[in-house]
Amino acid sequence: MKTYRLSPSGRRSAIVLLIGALMIWVFALWTLRIALATSSDPSAGFVQALRENLDRGLSIGQIIPALLMTVLLVATPLAAWSILEELGAQYTPTDAGLRFTSFGVALTCPWNSVVSVRRLDGENDEPFDEVTLSDDFSTQIRNPLVRWLHRQACGARRLIIYAGLADRDDLLHEIRMRAGLIDAQPAGKQA
C-alpha cells in the first residue's frame, strides 16, 4: 500500500503559510494591546492602562480596531490548524477504505461511502480536490477538540485532497476506481 504525502514544495508552501498565520496572530495581539491599553503615562503597565481606558470609556477609534483584532485572534488559530492538518496529511488507500491521518486525526472512510470526487477552484494554479462522503467519519477522532477542528477545516462529510500532494492524480484515480466512480480499465485500454 502506497501512502501519499505532501511533496517537498507542498511542505514548504504550508510552512510559509503557517509562519504567515503566526505573524498575523502576533500582529493582531500587539495591535489589540495598543488599541485597548494606551496611556498618557509611559510607565503604566498594560493592566493599569486598560483599566484607565475602560473607566474613561473607549472611543470608536479604539473599539473598531479592538473588534477587528479580536476576530483575527480567534480566526488565525483556526487557519493555522487547517495548515497544520495539511502539513501532516497522509492518505493510504487500503482494502477497507481510504485512510487519512494527520496531527491527531486518524480516519478510515470505506469505499462505498465515497459519493464523489471533484476539483475545487479549478482555475487556481494549485487547485485542491474534495472527496464527498455519505457519512460523518470524524466521529472516529477520539479527542473532541481535534474532532471539532477537523470539522472546521474539512467539513463533516468530506476530505480534502490538498494541492501540494505528491502523485495526487494517481491517488485521485485510485480513489475513483476503488469507490466505483470509474471503470477499472481506462478508456481505450480494454483487453
Side-chain angles (χ1 to χ4, degrees):
M1 287 179 278
K2 180 176 180 178
T3 297
Y4 297 85
R5 296 176 179 86
L6 284 183
S7 66
S9 66
R11 280 193 297 275
R12 281 191 299 273
S13 295
I15 289 169
V16 167
L17 288 172
L18 186 60
I19 290 169
L22 293 174
M23 290 172 59
I24 289 170
W25 191 83
V26 168
F27 168 77
L29 185 62
W30 182 261
T31 305
L32 180 65
R33 180 190 170 281
I34 291 170
L36 291 179
T38 55
S39 174
S40 57
D41 181 9
S43 65
F46 173 77
V47 175
Q48 180 185 351
L50 178 60
R51 205 174 282 143
E52 288 174 8
N53 278 340
L54 291 176
D55 290 343
R56 193 173 43 237
L58 296 174
S59 69
I60 195 75
Q62 290 173 302
I63 293 172
I64 291 174
L67 289 174
L68 289 173
M69 294 308 114
T70 301
V71 167
L72 278 176
L73 285 172
V74 171
T76 303
L78 295 175
W81 169 260
S82 298
I83 296 167
L84 278 173
E85 189 166 317
E86 177 180 356
L87 192 58
Q90 297 181 33
Y91 305 87
T92 308
T94 67
D95 292 337
L98 179 62
R99 180 142 177 85
F100 173 76
T101 58
S102 190
F103 297 106
V105 177
L107 305 172
T108 300
C109 306
W111 296 116
N112 62 359
S113 71
V114 175
V115 175
S116 67
V117 178
R118 66 186 182 112
R119 179 137 303 167
L120 299 177
D121 201 15
E123 294 182 17
N124 192 346
D125 288 342
E126 295 185 20
F128 58 94
D129 296 279
E130 170 188 79
V131 176
T132 307
L133 305 167
S134 61
D135 295 309
D136 179 6
F137 293 100
S138 64
T139 55
Q140 296 173 17
I141 303 170
R142 292 185 180 160
N143 184 317
L145 176 61
V146 174
R147 183 182 323 121
W148 182 82
L149 288 169
H150 172 75
R151 285 178 178 162
Q152 298 308 307
C154 292
R157 293 183 175 192
R158 67 183 198 151
L159 278 178
I160 302 297
I161 308 295
Y162 296 104
L165 202 67
D167 301 325
R168 185 177 69 159
D169 290 334
D170 293 343
L171 173 63
L172 291 170
H173 178 75
E174 188 165 357
I175 292 170
R176 286 184 178 107
M177 189 179 68
R178 287 186 179 229
L181 300 175
I182 60 171
D183 294 331
Q185 291 287 334
K189 292 189 177 182
Q190 296 175 354

